[in-house]
């Protein structure tokens, strides 16, 4: 089934107005998303009579990781937004880096909708339903105290395919089903990009359904545009949040995708190709 339609989260604001709201608005914390690994706060943001919902992630609330430098996750979220915009696919919700409650952090426009709804699902059969692609065989509760096999699948839509390409570009180490949000008219948003953009290959995603398939003409055109943007100003914008080797690694991944012309395969013998938990 197609993803459900949800309202436009901008409420009719244009891109410049959203950026001004996120950059200059007053943030009021209303609650915390407790399932998140790092401090993720649900907030209201208001500026000159305009008010919207947003997510606030202070750097001070980031949990240290062994493989990512401390205090860099908020910046990585902003860098992935810049790459999403350069691709022209509107995958990452509007995101800025600014001062706010508890110091500097990442402020992102709130996306309504149930994470993963209509995008990731289970089937009892050995094959996915038409319009879906398989991810992995899993075990689920059979309702009688035991377990039964099921097939975890993801929707085979073009918006989901774009996210698969985007994740290869940003080297997403954590594309769970809960990080996919249905948007208006079948659009799909991706959120939670704090552990992206490492120099080493760390791609872990549920979206392996197109692995080793040829990239679409649309994807190749978008990647060529991104390659050009990385030499005409985007590299400098990324350098505000990433190291020079990390920026160079983005260019190398784009070049590799254009050279092969195919969706990547999981790297043999490396870390698990799918994140945990899956959803």
């Amino acid at each position: 089934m197609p993803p459900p339609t949800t309202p436009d989260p901008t409420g009719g604001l244009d891109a410049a107005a959203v950026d001004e709201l996120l950059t200059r608005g007053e943030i009021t914390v209303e609650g915390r998303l407790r399932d998140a690994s790092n401090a993720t706060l649900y907030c209201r943001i208001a500026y000159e009579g305009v008010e919207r919902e947003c997510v606030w992630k202070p750097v001070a609330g980031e949990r240290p990781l062994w493989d990512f430098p401390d205090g860099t996750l908020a910046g990585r979220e902003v860098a992935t937004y810049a790459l999403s915009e350069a691709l022209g696919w509107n995958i990452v919700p509007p995101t800025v880096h600014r001062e706010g409650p508890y110091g500097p952090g990442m402020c992102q426009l709130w996306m309504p909708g149930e994470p993963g709804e209509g995008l990731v699902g289970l089937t009892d059969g050995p094959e996915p339903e038409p319009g879906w692609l398989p991810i992995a065989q899993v075990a689920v509760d059979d309702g009688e105290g035991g377990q039964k096999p099921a097939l975890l699948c993801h929707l085979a839509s073009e918006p989901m395919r774009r996210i698969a390409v985007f994740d290869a570009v940003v080297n997403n180490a954590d594309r769970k089903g809960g990080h996919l949000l249905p948007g208006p008219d079948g659009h799909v948003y991706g959120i939670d990009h704090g552990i992206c953009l490492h120099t080493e290959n760390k791609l872990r995603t549920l979206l392996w359904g197109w692995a080793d398939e040829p990239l679409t003409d649309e994807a190749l055109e978008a990647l060529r545009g991104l390659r050009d943007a990385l030499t005409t100003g985007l590299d400098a914008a990324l350098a505000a949040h990433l190291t020079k080797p990390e920026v160079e690694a983005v260019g190398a991944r784009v070049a590799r995708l254009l050279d092969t012309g195919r969706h990547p395969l999981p790297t043999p013998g490396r870390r698990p190709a799918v994140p945990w938990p899956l959803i």
Side-chain angles (χ1 to χ4, degrees), residues 148-236:
K148 62 179 181 179
L151 189 63
L152 182 67
C153 307
H154 67 71
L155 188 67
S157 68
E158 283 308 306
M160 292 280 275
R161 190 167 188 167
R162 292 184 197 112
I163 293 181
V165 176
F166 175 72
D167 284 346
V169 169
V170 303
N171 196 16
N172 193 344
D174 196 35
R175 175 62 75 201
K176 298 182 176 74
H179 298 168
L180 298 166
L181 292 172
D185 301 324
H187 185 73
V188 181
Y189 290 102
I191 59 171
D192 285 349
H193 297 104
I195 52 174
C196 292
L197 299 165
H198 204 286
T199 55
E200 300 175 9
N201 180 16
K202 293 183 177 292
L203 182 59
R204 290 194 307 166
T205 175
L206 292 185
L207 304 182
W208 289 115
W210 296 281
D212 204 34
E213 288 192 10
L215 294 167
T216 64
D217 290 342
E218 179 203 31
L220 291 169
E221 182 179 358
L223 288 167
R224 285 190 286 267
L226 180 57
R227 178 188 59 192
D228 295 343
L230 284 166
T231 62
T232 56
L234 179 59
D235 51 344

Side-chain angles (χ1 to χ4, degrees), residues 39-64:
T40 303
L41 307 177
Y42 171 76
C43 305
R44 304 290 301 185
I45 187 166
Y47 180 70
E48 293 189 344
V50 176
E51 184 174 326
R52 295 290 186 273
E53 299 165 292
C54 71
V55 172
W56 173 248
K57 296 184 180 181
V59 172
E62 295 179 4
R63 184 182 65 179

Side-chain angles (χ1 to χ4, degrees), residues 21-201:
L21 173 65
L22 294 178
T23 302
R24 306 181 66 178
E26 181 179 357
I27 299 172
T28 302
V29 177
E30 296 196 345
R32 179 173 180 175
L33 306 182
R34 295 190 177 276
D35 290 340
S37 300
N38 301 290
T40 303
L41 307 177
Y42 171 76
C43 305
R44 304 290 301 185
I45 187 166
Y47 180 70
E48 293 189 344
V50 176
E51 184 174 326
R52 295 290 186 273
E53 299 165 292
C54 71
V55 172
W56 173 248
K57 296 184 180 181
V59 172
E62 295 179 4
R63 184 182 65 179
L65 299 170
W66 69 270
D67 53 348
F68 282 81
D70 292 351
T72 66
L73 305 191
R76 293 173 193 278
E77 298 250 24
V78 179
T80 56
Y81 170 64
L83 288 163
S84 168
E85 291 298 284
L87 281 166
W89 287 342
N90 189 31
I91 291 169
V92 181
T95 309
V96 302
H97 199 284
R98 54 163 289 179
E99 287 289 326
Y102 316 113
M106 180 278 281
C107 185
Q108 185 176 85
L109 191 68
W110 174 266
M111 293 290 111
E114 186 66 28
E117 183 180 5
L119 306 172
V120 179
L122 294 168
T123 181
D124 293 333
E127 299 291 336
E129 296 179 5
W132 291 74
L133 294 170
I135 301 169
Q137 195 77 35
V138 296
V140 297
D141 189 348
D142 64 4
E144 299 178 357
Q147 292 187 321
K148 62 179 181 179
L151 189 63
L152 182 67
C153 307
H154 67 71
L155 188 67
S157 68
E158 283 308 306
M160 292 280 275
R161 190 167 188 167
R162 292 184 197 112
I163 293 181
V165 176
F166 175 72
D167 284 346
V169 169
V170 303
N171 196 16
N172 193 344
D174 196 35
R175 175 62 75 201
K176 298 182 176 74
H179 298 168
L180 298 166
L181 292 172
D185 301 324
H187 185 73
V188 181
Y189 290 102
I191 59 171
D192 285 349
H193 297 104
I195 52 174
C196 292
L197 299 165
H198 204 286
T199 55
E200 300 175 9
N201 180 16

